Amino acid sequence: MTITIYGIKACDTMKKARAWLDGRGVAYAFHDYKALGIDRPRLERWIGQVGWEVLLNRSGTTFRALPDAAKVGLDAEKAIGLMLAQPSIIKRPVVDLGERLLVGFKPEIYEGALG
C-alpha cells in the first residue's frame, strides 16, 4: 500500500503524525502544500470521500484571518476556491491510503487503519 501524507512541514500536528508513522516504520511519501500546492481534482476527490466540512480547517489562523465575506455562504465550490488559494486552510494532515482518507491526527484512528 502506498501512503501519502499531505500537509505543511512546519505544522505541529504534521510533526506528530509523521513521528507516529516513523516510529512504527510506516513508509510514506510527504506532499508539502507550501512547496507543491494542491490541485482541484484531488480536492474534489477528497470532498467526495469525506466532505468539504471535514477538509476545511475553520479553527486555524488562516481561516480566522479571512475577511468575513469569504466565510459567508460556504459550500463545496467556495471551500475548494479557498483551499486552492490558501492550502494552509486544509485540515492537516490528510493521509491518503488509496481507498480511504484519514483527516487530522488521532493516534487511535491511525492505529486502527495502519497498526
Side-chain angles (χ1 to χ4, degrees), residues 13-78:
T13 305
M14 285 296 304
K15 290 176 186 176
K16 290 175 191 173
R18 292 176 73 191
W20 189 97
L21 294 168
D22 292 341
R24 283 153 184 82
V26 177
Y28 59 90
F30 173 56
H31 180 106
D32 187 339
Y33 298 133
K34 292 266 189 190
L36 302 170
I38 190 71
D39 58 74
R40 175 177 281 276
R42 185 174 318 276
L43 285 174
E44 289 172 349
R45 184 169 42 84
W46 289 355
I47 287 170
Q49 288 181 266
V50 300
W52 68 267
E53 299 90 341
V54 171
L55 281 179
L56 188 67
N57 183 4
R58 296 185 211 202
S59 63
T61 56
T62 303
F63 185 83
R64 290 192 313 252
L66 291 173
D68 289 339
K71 300 175 193 177
V72 175
L74 280 173
D75 59 14
E77 191 57 36
K78 192 167 182 181

Side-chain angles (χ1 to χ4, degrees), residues 50-115:
V50 300
W52 68 267
E53 299 90 341
V54 171
L55 281 179
L56 188 67
N57 183 4
R58 296 185 211 202
S59 63
T61 56
T62 303
F63 185 83
R64 290 192 313 252
L66 291 173
D68 289 339
K71 300 175 193 177
V72 175
L74 280 173
D75 59 14
E77 191 57 36
K78 192 167 182 181
I80 287 171
L82 290 172
M83 290 185 271
L84 287 171
Q86 298 187 56
S88 297
I89 211 167
I90 302 169
K91 190 176 281 187
R92 301 178 297 268
V94 174
V95 179
D96 189 340
L97 303 175
E99 53 202 52
R100 182 175 175 202
L101 288 181
L102 306 177
V103 181
F105 176 64
K106 292 197 169 140
E108 63 276 11
I109 292 174
Y110 277 44
E111 189 65 44
L114 301 164

